[in-house]
Amino acid sequence: MSLTRTSIHRFRYIYRTISSPSSTSITTRFQFQRIITSHPIPKPFQFNSSYSSSSSSSSLKQDFIGDGDGAYPTGDFNFEPVTGFNKFTVKLKTLIALPWERVQHGSILKIVLRGQISDQLKSRFSKGLSLPQISDNFLKATYDPRVSGVYLHIDTLNCGWAKVEEIRRQILNFRKSGKFVVAYVPSCREKEYYIACACEEIYAPPSAYFSLFGLTVQAGFVRGLFDNLGIEPQVERIGKYKSAGDQLTRKTMTEDNREMLTTLLDNIYSNWLDKVSSARGKKREDIENFINEGVYQVDKLKEEGFISCILYDDEVMTKLKERLRVKTDKNLPVVDFRKYSGVRKWTVGVSGGKELIAVIRASGAIHRVESPLSAPSKSIIGEKFIEKIRRVRESKKFKAAIIRIDSPGGDALASDLMWREIRLLAASKPVIASMSDVAASGGYYMAMGAGAIVAESLTLTGSIGVVSGRFNLGKLYEKIGFNKELISRGKYAELHAAEQRSLRPHEAELFAKSAQNIYKQFRDKAAFSRSMTVDKMEEVAQGRVWTGKDAASHGLVDAIGGLSRAIAIAKLKANIPQDRQVTIVELSRPSPSLPEILSGLGNSLVGADETLKELLHDLTISDGVQARMDGIVFQKLEAYPSPNPILALMKDYLGSM
């Protein structure tokens, strides 16, 4: 898919917000690159990399930093029934709707939640689910008089907890309209059940797979494998919690990493228990005791009130027909997710206002430039992202901008260049960062250039640290009978070329100092951006990953919430009344590639495997210090693990690179 031509897609935003504050590859080497700022930063944002540890936070204070979560509007959805002339207008629009927008009155919107959920907008030919389109469909259905309710099929999901939280929020918002949402769960784990709990009723077939057994976190290590192969990894990581690289150099988990992962797991598990107990009207202890019993029988789940009824899919449909008073000899009118995605918001009366707010999405690993092997739809290309930022900055029609981030990081240089452009944009108009599943390391680097940062409570963020490394393949070369000789000029000329030997002392010293220099720049800019002293930032940096909730308590995040709250804060900073509708302009809506179009038409043999594509991309152009989050694998938080433990281990590590 090419992003050389970026179309602008507009959609309307009808949320009325409450103005009261919230109450509550493996590669053969990793070379380093210096982060270079070629031009001075404008005076309002001048940055001194030599901040002393005694610098006061007041000397770094910026006008646009908020005073905490409570200082911002909540962005909560407030349903307002369509009445009078507006009701007549909506009815007229639905009558004259385009053929593909026509929906029978009394229809059920059927949404199947399964597999990976992207934070990017998708073309109509793209496979998989898109969180923006899920949110749009729930919003349209809320006001669409032709839709009576939602039938939600929830199957095995492969996404983070922030997306799960947003879907749950959309369900609860939809229910404010008085319409119903029922869930059908043939296969259910913690994430799937977390969403289902937001529905009015939960159905499951008698043969359903339920595995509500708790959560685990795991880390795999390949040092022993490398020793057997004759590969010596040489890694320089800055930050005691920056465990990206430990999987290569160690055989066990460090105590610091164990501490960090334990805290993350405790936060996620505690949040799950709290939300589920509240939704099911049970005590938290009762939920935890039930989990510890290892119950898997569906009838036991029904008996304990964890599901509403044991029914097959056809029986649920019959029940819905009875609810909507559809005759038994008639079919229940159902509109599927893909068809309903073609219904315009205008058709159902969801209109926006005159003020425009731009949304720029940044999802996937960060790369500085695009290569023939890169997958633009699954990565952030720094050059292209900067083009969008500059377009918004130069345009007078946008009142504010939101940077929507779902990234574990990547190239440190690209992260810094994008940070600068976001800072320049923030000098001309309000910029809010909205975090999805993960905005860590390079992803956080981007976010800290915004005027305010909004994260979900279980967003994984922070990881302010860097890692750089190389492999000594000398012993492996001996085993396979390969030899390599170098002729060089310059003391450090062989630093990146001589993978057949270990680093010499002077090379190792330069290697370490270079990584330390980049970490210092990252940390100091984070301190400056968040109005902290360097010492204070060092306490929360060190490569540590935080949940959004903990990040907020440590000053790394300003507010907890989703995209709707980010929009509410953008309106506040742009002096737009909270009850006034705005038009959201999505930049970077993808155009479908030929393989996607053919695949969408049913040809499953077209297109390269994206995982291999990404691996080849990393093998060919990974040449800089990486600002990436550690390869954390939460069992039962992601897809089922690979049956091959070695493949699972390699996939885990590749995911962290």
Side-chain angles (χ1 to χ4, degrees):
M1 182 189 307
S2 174
L3 290 179
T4 54
R5 183 184 66 184
T6 304
S7 60
I8 297 179
H9 172 64
R10 297 187 180 188
F11 67 86
R12 304 294 185 178
Y13 179 81
I14 198 173
Y15 283 160
R16 294 187 181 275
T17 54
I18 299 174
S19 59
S20 61
S22 173
S23 60
T24 35
S25 91
I26 294 180
T27 61
T28 56
R29 68 175 187 258
F30 305 100
Q31 301 173 359
F32 67 87
Q33 292 178 336
R34 296 179 181 270
I35 295 178
I36 301 173
T37 303
S38 57
H39 301 287
I41 299 175
K43 286 186 177 180
F45 304 106
Q46 280 187 353
F47 162 75
N48 183 359
S49 62
S50 61
Y51 290 140
S52 68
S53 59
S54 60
S55 299
S56 65
S57 60
S58 60
S59 67
L60 305 178
K61 189 68 179 177
Q62 302 171 58
D63 293 338
F64 50 72
I65 292 295
D67 298 321
D69 186 89
Y72 295 120
T74 64
D76 288 343
F77 176 74
N78 182 24
F79 176 73
E80 295 182 0
V82 179
T83 60
F85 181 74
N86 290 336
K87 185 176 182 179
F88 170 77
T89 303
V90 171
K91 186 175 182 179
L92 180 61
K93 287 179 178 179
T94 58
L95 287 173
I96 64 173
L98 297 169
W100 53 85
E101 294 185 284
R102 293 174 186 171
V103 176
Q104 186 177 338
H105 277 271
S107 291
I108 297 296
L109 171 60
K110 182 178 180 179
I111 302 176
V112 179
L113 296 178
R114 180 189 297 125
Q116 192 170 12
I117 299 177
S118 171
D119 204 73
Q120 286 278 29
L121 289 166
K122 288 181 174 287
S123 72
R124 62 183 299 181
F125 300 102
S126 299
K127 294 181 179 179
L129 292 168
S130 162
L131 183 61
Q133 289 165 325
I134 293 172
S135 300
D136 282 358
N137 279 356
F138 269 110
L139 178 60
K140 290 183 295 187
T142 301
Y143 290 94
D144 193 338
R146 305 168 299 178
V147 175
S148 298
V150 172
Y151 183 28
L152 200 61
H153 267 235
I154 309 174
D155 211 330
T156 305
L157 293 170
N158 182 16
C159 65
W161 284 95
K163 292 191 182 79
V164 170
E165 188 67 52
E166 180 63 34
I167 294 171
R168 194 173 188 276
R169 182 182 296 117
Q170 295 299 327
I171 294 171
L172 295 174
N173 288 344
F174 176 82
R175 292 183 62 182
K176 292 179 181 179
S177 68
K179 300 179 181 181
F180 65 85
V181 185
V182 298
Y184 180 74
V185 284
S187 178
C188 187
R189 300 172 300 164
E190 284 74 17
K191 274 183 188 170
E192 293 78 18
Y193 192 75
Y194 189 76
I195 293 176
C197 279
C199 301
E200 183 179 325
E201 295 175 347
I202 305 174
Y203 302 115
S207 55
Y209 293 124
F210 267 82
S211 55
L212 303 179
F213 303 145
L215 307 173
T216 63
V217 60
Q218 65 180 7
F221 303 89
V222 296
R223 180 57 191 264
L225 174 63
F226 283 165
D227 288 345
N228 291 331
L229 293 175
I231 300 174
E232 178 193 2
Q234 296 180 304
V235 176
E236 189 68 34
R237 64 181 179 93
I238 311 300
K240 64 180 182 179
Y241 297 103
K242 196 70 176 179
S243 61
D246 282 357
Q247 292 167 297
L248 299 177
T249 61
R250 295 179 57 87
K251 296 181 179 180
T252 60
M253 191 183 297
T254 66
E255 287 305 312
D256 292 324
N257 192 31
R258 185 179 300 277
E259 173 200 343
M260 178 185 74
L261 295 180
T262 300
T263 301
L264 291 173
L265 185 60
D266 286 343
N267 286 344
I268 295 170
Y269 189 49
S270 179
N271 178 80
W272 189 89
L273 290 173
D274 289 341
K275 292 292 181 69
V276 170
S277 60
S278 176
R280 304 310 295 175
K282 297 178 179 291
K283 294 181 180 179
R284 175 187 165 118
E285 306 82 61
D286 294 338
I287 299 292
E288 192 164 16
N289 290 336
F290 187 81
I291 292 297
N292 292 333
E293 289 179 14
V295 176
Y296 59 90
Q297 302 95 327
V298 179
D299 55 349
K300 182 70 171 179
L301 291 162
K302 168 65 171 62
E303 180 183 328
E304 295 292 334
F306 280 81
I307 61 175
S308 306
C309 199
I310 303 174
L311 297 173
Y312 285 104
D313 178 47
D314 63 288
E315 294 175 310
V316 177
M317 297 296 282
T318 300
K319 195 175 184 68
L320 292 177
K321 286 173 66 174
E322 294 173 356
R323 180 169 188 163
L324 297 175
R325 299 179 181 178
V326 177
K327 294 181 179 180
T328 56
D329 59 337
K330 300 290 185 181
N331 291 327
L332 180 67
V334 177
V335 56
D336 65 33
F337 180 85
R338 182 176 291 272
K339 175 179 172 59
Y340 199 69
S341 296
V343 176
R344 293 170 298 169
K345 292 182 178 178
W346 175 88
T347 303
V348 296
V350 180
S351 58
K354 294 181 179 179
E355 287 88 358
L356 307 182
I357 295 178
V359 173
I360 306 174
R361 297 183 181 270
S363 298
I366 297 172
H367 304 290
R368 187 166 59 89
V369 297
E370 187 174 9
S371 82
L373 294 174
S374 64
S377 63
K378 296 184 178 181
S379 60
I380 304 167
I381 308 301
E383 289 183 339
K384 295 187 176 297
F385 180 86
I386 288 172
E387 289 176 5
K388 299 181 185 72
I389 291 290
R390 290 176 177 173
R391 185 193 311 172
V392 175
R393 190 177 79 219
E394 295 166 1
S395 175
K396 295 181 180 180
K397 65 182 181 180
F398 297 113
K399 300 298 182 182
I402 294 171
I403 312 298
R404 177 71 174 179
I405 304 171
D406 189 20
S407 172
D411 186 273
L413 173 58
S415 302
D416 184 68
L417 297 178
M418 291 187 291
W419 172 85
R420 174 177 170 82
E421 293 296 330
I422 294 171
R423 299 285 302 168
L424 293 175
L425 175 60
S428 62
K429 59 191 65 178
V431 179
I432 313 299
S434 172
M435 297 178 170
S436 185
D437 283 339
V438 57
S441 208
Y444 185 78
Y445 206 135
M446 296 172 62
M448 68 190 195
I453 301 175
V454 182
E456 295 285 5
S457 59
L458 295 182
T459 293
L460 298 182
T461 190
S463 192
I464 300 171
V466 299
V467 62
S468 183
R470 68 189 292 277
F471 287 112
N472 171 16
L473 304 178
K475 291 183 179 180
L476 175 62
Y477 286 176
E478 288 179 13
K479 289 183 177 182
I480 64 176
F482 177 78
N483 184 42
K484 179 178 179 178
E485 294 185 2
L486 294 174
I487 300 175
S488 62
R489 295 293 182 270
K491 184 177 180 180
Y492 299 101
E494 297 184 9
L495 182 62
H496 303 309
E499 78 278 358
Q500 79 280 11
R501 62 170 175 81
S502 296
L503 292 173
R504 292 164 181 153
H506 68 283
E507 293 172 328
E509 182 181 3
L510 179 63
F511 191 74
K513 286 182 177 179
S514 300
Q516 184 68 48
N517 177 62
I518 291 180
Y519 171 73
K520 183 176 182 296
Q521 292 188 53
F522 189 176
R523 180 204 60 198
D524 292 358
K525 288 180 181 179
F528 167 68
S529 299
R530 301 304 301 166
S531 297
M532 292 185 187
T533 62
V534 171
D535 284 350
K536 184 67 175 177
M537 178 55 69
E538 182 69 14
E539 293 176 6
V540 296
Q542 290 286 324
R544 179 157 188 165
V545 179
W546 304 92
T547 60
K549 185 177 180 180
D550 283 350
S553 67
H554 288 89
L556 297 176
V557 166
D558 296 297
I560 299 300
L563 184 61
S564 60
R565 189 164 198 194
I567 292 172
I569 296 173
K571 289 165 69 174
L572 175 69
K573 292 181 174 292
N575 298 316
I576 301 173
Q578 290 297 306
D579 61 350
R580 184 181 299 174
Q581 298 173 21
V582 295
T583 295
I584 301 302
V585 181
E586 286 268 5
L587 279 73
S588 68
R589 182 176 178 86
S591 299
S593 62
L594 180 59
E596 283 182 322
I597 294 174
L598 294 175
S599 179
L601 293 175
N603 188 345
S604 61
L605 300 178
V606 178
D609 179 82
E610 294 297 340
T611 303
L612 177 60
K613 201 173 181 182
E614 283 294 309
L615 173 58
L616 290 174
H617 177 264
D618 284 344
L619 284 168
T620 53
I621 70 168
S622 179
D623 60 352
V625 170
Q626 300 291 293
R628 291 180 181 266
M629 189 185 76
D630 310 340
I632 299 172
V633 175
F634 285 95
Q635 196 82 334
K636 305 235 178 121
L637 307 190
E638 304 299 337
Y640 284 115
S642 168
N644 186 321
I646 298 299
L647 290 178
L649 189 62
M650 299 301 288
K651 180 180 179 181
D652 176 28
Y653 183 74
L654 290 172
S656 73
M657 296 309 301

